Amino acid sequence: MPFFQCFTVVQVPKSCLDQLGPLGPTECPPDWPRYSDQRARAAIPHGRTSQIRGRGMPRRRSDRQQSWDRFGLPEVGKAALTNYNKNVRPYRKRCGARTKSTEDHAPCKNLALAGHERCRLHGAKTPRGDQWGLVQWPNGEAPDAEAKLQAKLKRIERDRRRKERRLAKMTAQERAKYDEWAKYHRPGSKIERSKPRAAKKAAAERKKQAEQPPRPISPELAELQRQAAVLEEARDYYRRLAAQEQANQDRGVFG
C-alpha cells in the first residue's frame, strides 16, 4: 500500500492554514500535530477548517474566501444572519405538514414558501392550477439552459422507466385502482380535471336517490294529491269543451 493512502481526513484550524501560507507539506510549522498522532488529531477543535486528504496536502482557500476574510465580511454576514434569525425568522409562516420521522408526527419546522402553506420539501414547489402535473421546462435564456434541459430530459426518461417497472409489478386489482385514479387526475387544466369528478359525483347522487325507498305519504299530502287530481281532471274536461265549441264556430251555418 502506498504511504500516502494511509492518511485519513483531518480537519486543520484556520490559524494553522494562515501560518502555512504557500508552504508545502514538508515545511509545516512545528506546532502542527503529526498526522500519525491519533490523540492530537482528535484534539483539533472544530470551526472554520480545511480538510486534508490523500497525501496530506492542505486545500487552498479560493480568492473569494480570502477576500471575505480580509475585508471583515464574515462579521457583517454574521450580524445580518443574527438579526434575521432573531427578528424575522420567528414571525414567518411555518410549514403545516406533519413529519414522518417523529413518533408523534410533529409539524414540520421549515419555512413555508411565499404564497404557499408548505415548504419546498412538502409540495410547495409542485405546480398549481393549469400547470399541475405538467413538465416545467428550464428558462431558455439562462446561461446553463442546455445543461438543465439535458438533465430534465434524462430525469423524465428515468421516471418513465421507473413508472413502467412499478406498473408491471402491480396486480390486476391494483392496476384497475390506479387506472381509476389516473382518469380523474390528468395533468393540465384544473377545469378539465374537475369535469369527470363532477360527473362521477352526480352519478353517485342519482344512484343513491334511486336506491332509497319511497317515503311514506302523510294523510294531509294524500288529500292534497287527490284534490289536485280532481282539479286536473276538471281542467281537461273544460279544455275539451272549449275546443269543441271553437270547432263548431269555425264550421259556421253550412257546417
Side-chain angles (χ1 to χ4, degrees), residues 76-89:
V76 178
K78 183 178 180 181
L81 288 176
T82 302
N83 180 60
Y84 172 80
N85 292 331
K86 183 178 180 181
N87 301 322
V88 179
R89 186 181 180 92

Side-chain angles (χ1 to χ4, degrees), residues 149-215:
L149 177 61
Q150 296 301 327
K152 175 71 73 172
L153 294 176
K154 290 181 181 179
R155 190 179 305 113
I156 293 174
E157 180 63 20
R158 183 173 63 250
D159 294 342
R160 184 188 64 82
R161 293 195 299 266
R162 186 180 303 169
K163 181 180 179 180
E164 289 180 354
R165 292 194 298 268
R166 186 171 68 252
L167 294 178
K169 295 180 180 179
M170 288 184 178
T171 62
Q173 184 178 2
E174 293 175 346
R175 184 58 185 270
K177 185 177 180 180
Y178 170 79
D179 293 339
E180 183 69 16
W181 177 89
K183 186 187 302 182
Y184 303 104
H185 293 80
R186 296 177 180 176
S189 174
K190 184 177 181 180
I191 297 177
E192 295 297 330
R193 193 166 57 250
S194 63
K195 287 182 179 178
R197 299 178 185 177
K200 181 180 179 181
K201 185 177 180 180
E205 291 291 337
R206 290 193 299 268
K207 182 178 180 181
K208 183 178 179 180
Q209 293 178 0
E211 293 176 352
Q212 291 180 353
R215 295 181 299 179

Side-chain angles (χ1 to χ4, degrees), residues 232-253:
E232 289 178 357
E233 183 178 358
R235 181 198 59 190
D236 296 339
Y237 173 75
Y238 287 112
R239 283 182 177 178
R240 290 194 298 271
L241 289 180
Q244 185 177 2
E245 183 67 23
Q246 184 66 29
N248 294 334
Q249 293 179 1
D250 293 341
R251 283 198 298 266
V253 294

Side-chain angles (χ1 to χ4, degrees), residues 48-66:
R48 183 176 299 175
T49 58
S50 179
Q51 292 181 342
I52 304 297
R53 292 186 176 88
R55 300 185 181 183
M57 289 291 293
R59 186 174 62 183
R60 293 292 304 276
R61 294 176 64 82
S62 64
D63 296 338
R64 182 178 181 183
Q65 292 172 334
Q66 295 178 10

Side-chain angles (χ1 to χ4, degrees), residues 1-9 41 53-56:
M1 178 183 297
F3 181 74
F4 65 87
Q5 293 185 1
C6 299
F7 300 132
T8 57
V9 177
R41 194 183 315 170
R53 292 186 176 88
R55 300 185 181 183

